[in-house]
Amino acid sequence: MSGYLTTHVLDTARGCPASGLKIALYRVSGNSHSKIAETVTNDDGRTDSPILPAADFKTGTYELVFFAGDYLRASGQAGDDPLFLDEVPIRFGMSDAVAHYHVPLLLSPYGYSTYRGS
């Protein structure tokens, strides 16, 4: 059995899932970033499959980049340019080779939070 990574995005300002939000996943090594996945959230604010499935899972340091600005503009929540939040990067480590890691984003136009979910 191997680990895997999932994510989802909730729009806390509107009280609903953030549908149609683009997300990129990078593997980080020192100052080097390698993009390994890109996807868009579905109507439930989740990805249709793990953003890093078990077959591709490796322990290490990763970064999810949430393209919040595009979503906020499309949902009519964007303020004046430049936006307060545009691309939201979350860097995290995964050290357990068989664990399910879940990294959600709670998003509003002027703030966000994350945590290790289940």
Side-chain angles (χ1 to χ4, degrees):
M1 185 169 152
S2 182
Y4 61 103
L5 171 66
T6 57
T7 186
H8 76 274
V9 185
L10 298 175
D11 182 332
T12 58
R14 294 179 20 195
C16 64
S19 174
L21 193 145
K22 186 171 91 169
I23 305 167
L25 176 66
Y26 296 84
R27 186 179 319 275
V28 178
S29 178
N31 290 327
S32 174
H33 288 62
S34 300
K35 187 192 287 187
I36 56 175
E38 187 173 289
T39 191
V40 175
T41 57
N42 60 25
D43 288 344
D44 195 34
R46 298 176 182 275
T47 59
D48 289 331
S49 60
I51 194 162
L52 184 59
D56 300 326
F57 187 88
K58 294 179 185 173
T59 59
T61 302
Y62 291 83
E63 188 169 282
L64 283 166
V65 177
F66 297 86
F67 292 83
D70 295 340
Y71 168 80
L72 294 169
R73 286 182 188 95
S75 64
Q77 298 181 76
D80 295 331
D81 279 328
L83 297 182
F84 183 71
L85 293 176
D86 193 357
E87 294 179 9
V88 175
I90 299 174
R91 186 174 294 185
F92 56 96
M94 298 189 292
S95 59
D96 186 340
V98 297
H100 170 203
Y101 287 86
H102 183 69
V103 181
L105 180 70
L106 306 178
L107 176 67
S108 76
Y110 298 100
Y112 68 91
S113 65
T114 189
Y115 56 94
R116 181 173 176 189
S118 58

